Amino acid sequence: MKPLKIFLFTFICLVLLLNSSFAESVKNSNIIIEGNKKISSNTIVELLNLTSNNANSKNLNEYQKKLFQSNFFRSVNVSFNNKKIFITVIENPIVDYIFIEGIESDQLLNKIKDTLELKENALFSEVLLNSDIKKISTLLRSQGYFKSNIEFKAVKPSADKINIFLNIDLNKKFSINNIFFIGDKKIKNSKLLSVVSSRPKSLFSFFSSANTPSSERVDFDISLLKKYYIDRGYYNVQIPSGSIKVIDDSSVDIVFTINAGNQFTIKNIKIEDVNSILLNANIASIKKIVEPLKNDIYSLSFLKTIQNKISTYLDNNNLNANLTYDIQQLDTNNMAIIFNINENSKKAYIRNITIKGNDLTEEKVLRNNIDFAEGDLLTNLKISNSIDKLKTTGFFKDVKIKQKNVINSDNVDIEIKIVESPTGEIGAGVGVGSNGSNVSFNFKENNLLGKGLGFSVLGSFGTESVSANISLSNPDFANSGNLLKTGFYVSKYENETSGYENKIIGASVSTGFEWFEDVSLKYGISADIDDLTAEGSASSLIKSRDGQFFTNKFFYSVTEDKRDKKFKSEDGYIFGFGQDIAHLGSDIPYLQNSIFGSFYNKFNDSFIGTIRYKVKSINSFESSKDIKLSDRLFLSDNELRGFKFRSYGPKVDKDYIGGNYSYSTTFSSTVPNFLPESWNSSSSVFFDVGNIWGTDFEVTNEANQMRSSIGLGFSWFSPIGPIAVSYAEPIQKSSSDEIEKFNFKLGGVF
């Protein structure tokens, strides 16, 4: 055994000796760097991330790897000799020019340039070049170019410079041919198509990018569909995929696979609190807040609304508590909601607020949309409400709010990190109906100059009328939190049958805010000049109105909005009233009153009932002055179908001159039309009731009686654009009324 021990001892000593020789440390002064011209030796040492001012000979491979990863060098050699580390490098050349060929669109060319990591007057890297080519390919796919081809060539005019040539062959731009929803979806295709942002190609698709396929848009559509299902009780919905399938050399189909699962109803609601004193003192008020949830279809949006109401109650009553909720499935169709209220033992106050990512939007705009400031008590409700408010502005793709505790203090620092999104819109539309044709356009910027200002230009050119409207709005005028909106408008209406032309030019300024919860108040002033020109063929009444009239008025409206959603509402109601008061130098002072509203009720997915109503009146303050023709009341062709617009009611000779009073009510419901779901169509039945009556002067035919009609409506998102058709059969009418049973409209705004 003794020889064996001697052998092992000798072997271990030899290994330690060899290891010490290969792991010898050297000071940075013994690092010899050669070949570098543009990159300093200090920069190279920093790239190696050396500690204790020493380099270790056993880490030569690691040093070489780090230098290669910097993308500064095309050749790196690291060696150790005579207690020194030798680093020999050959630097990459400087990029002199980057030429991109094959792209005619300046907008697309700028997007490609923005994606490049490789920049002119920077060091060339083959790794970055390959990465940039992949990024360009991804960008082109997002723009609809699924079969683009990218070739590159690197030319070195000198030893230390290089030119990059990128030749891009776009081929044809792809568009969406059809959108399919498959699986156990339980909701009609026409409903789901209205949810997603993607749209099949149509006649007017060149106004929009919604028909351009991209994986990013498909992912966004999946999130929209999930939210739509969850808000309708499908708690376990699964949408595992949304695929883009190329069907020819320029078209794709998008297919969403959906497993809706069962629809859940909230059967039980529990409120739990670790601190029973807090709960006992407030249980009655909290139970009243959560009561609307019970026996209702589960909706995540409504649940969040209730959660916010409880949190608001706790904050308003100075109860520093955290509120969370759990969902418990009772069976295949029922669930319980458990609200957990936990009193905070430690309070946290905000010390500093830092905002990052707002390259365009001013910090003031963000601070106006958060519920806290430096020195405030921080609560989870303030954080969640602030995130919701910032996202609601539409200025930001993503919003994150992080908090960091301050050591040995009850203070916290808040960091708000946002990702800005495009805020401009441009669109156009074409309408063709039985009353004539119409072309419209719009331009909107919702975050003008990064100040949160809204700017819009709207125009419409029709067979009988032309109009334009320019408006500017400030949601936080003079730091008041109130909306201020100003506008300028001009319109021209030409009635060839009655022989007159009416021009109006005016301006308005208004403000508005949420007065109470779900109740908004809007008020303002406007002034306009009304110029009516009567031709020789006009009636004596029209000729008596020839001339210019000035009107200056104050207006206001109060609206309560209790709908479940603003677009395609299925539950709730709207109620409002308002007045217009023409005064202060108006040629014809008057008072106009209006009451309006609507009710919504969903019977099932096929039958959604709606009741809309509106009552208006307008009367002159001076009995000797009649209301202007342009101010007199008419019903639109959507309020009373089956009757020709401006062709019923009070009449003088051959002219329908409108009334001082009007009312309209519509009872309608969606109905199944038994057409294939792939048509993306919807149908409805309706019953319209309305009338206009009352004048300031003697008329040929007052026709003061109720009008009514019953009919069918059909809408279809066709390959050439949206089509709306209605047929209405008048039930009650006057002999002097002009009937128009069929109404057809093509086109829309994009």
Side-chain angles (χ1 to χ4, degrees), residues 68-84:
F68 265 124
Q69 287 177 341
S70 70
N71 292 322
F72 291 161
F73 313 103
R74 60 186 176 91
S75 174
V76 177
N77 182 48
V78 182
S79 61
F80 179 77
N81 186 26
N82 195 22
K83 296 185 179 182
K84 293 183 179 181

Side-chain angles (χ1 to χ4, degrees), residues 308 366 369-372 379-403 414-418:
N308 283 341
L366 283 93
N369 286 282
I370 59 177
D371 287 349
F372 52 81
T379 65
N380 291 332
L381 176 64
K382 290 178 180 178
I383 295 292
S384 60
N385 282 351
S386 298
I387 292 175
D388 288 341
K389 283 185 176 181
L390 289 171
K391 289 184 175 179
T392 302
T393 63
F395 303 162
F396 314 112
K397 292 180 182 178
D398 189 34
V399 178
K400 293 180 180 178
I401 299 181
K402 296 181 180 180
Q403 47 185 301
I414 299 295
E415 179 185 272
I416 304 175
K417 191 172 183 179
I418 57 101

Side-chain angles (χ1 to χ4, degrees), residues 38-69:
K38 295 177 288 293
I39 309 299
S40 69
S41 297
N42 287 336
T43 300
I44 293 175
V45 172
E46 289 175 4
L47 290 172
L48 298 179
N49 195 24
L50 299 179
T51 59
S52 302
N53 204 35
N54 287 332
N56 198 315
S57 61
K58 73 175 182 178
N59 294 331
L60 300 184
N61 289 336
E62 186 67 24
Y63 297 154
Q64 187 176 36
K65 181 179 178 181
K66 285 183 178 181
L67 293 177
F68 265 124
Q69 287 177 341

Side-chain angles (χ1 to χ4, degrees), residues 14 204 309 329-330 345 385 389 438 472 492 512 530 652:
L14 182 61
F204 308 109
K309 287 184 177 181
Q329 291 187 213
L330 303 176
S345 58
N385 282 351
K389 283 185 176 181
N438 179 276
L472 178 68
K492 185 179 89 169
D530 187 330
V652 176

Side-chain angles (χ1 to χ4, degrees), residues 101-109 170:
E101 301 173 317
I103 305 297
E104 295 182 359
S105 167
D106 291 338
Q107 184 179 11
L108 180 57
L109 182 60
L170 291 178

